[in-house]
Amino acid sequence: MVRSLRALSGLSLLAIVAACSSGSSAPATTPAPAEAPPVEEAADPTTADGIFTVAQAERGHELFQSTCAECHEAADWTDAGFRGRWEDESVFQLWYYINDRMPYDDPWSLSRQQVTDVLTYILQLNDLPAGAAELATDDDSIDDYWIAWTAN
């Protein structure tokens, strides 16, 4: 009789476990993983990031006085029309524009360093900050930056 009771209670226990595990209740849900906050992309480097040195802009100023001032005034490079034309363009595009067209009577006569120096003087004229390193003269380095007349 004890054996029968044990067998009966064992069967009862199995029936209860089976009922609980195969019931119609919804399966347990695992919480959804928390969404990671969106990663902000680093802003592209611009002329407002200090991409030239004071010494480089001074060399550009000297060249501007000796070569460019014959046809241009400093105000030509700071007026709203000039700034609007070049805003959000690649620094290389302005560099190439100067290299390809200036001086008017002898385009392509300036060295890469001279064009870069004059460009940095133009940036300085527009109240952009100087930095710790000179703007390099190779295409890839110049093309790394976008023209922004004010900090983002």
Side-chain angles (χ1 to χ4, degrees), residues 68-90:
C68 309
E70 197 172 299
C71 299
H72 299 283
E73 295 179 17
D76 295 342
W77 304 102
T78 58
D79 69 20
F82 171 79
R83 290 171 66 117
R85 161 64 181 94
W86 294 104
E87 177 80 20
D88 296 327
E89 297 292 336
S90 162

Side-chain angles (χ1 to χ4, degrees), residues 38-83:
V39 176
E40 282 190 38
E41 293 183 27
D44 290 328
T46 72
T47 51
D49 295 329
I51 65 169
F52 62 91
T53 65
V54 171
Q56 188 174 29
E58 287 173 359
R59 289 193 312 264
H61 179 246
E62 290 171 15
L63 182 63
F64 184 89
Q65 293 301 327
S66 67
T67 305
C68 309
E70 197 172 299
C71 299
H72 299 283
E73 295 179 17
D76 295 342
W77 304 102
T78 58
D79 69 20
F82 171 79
R83 290 171 66 117

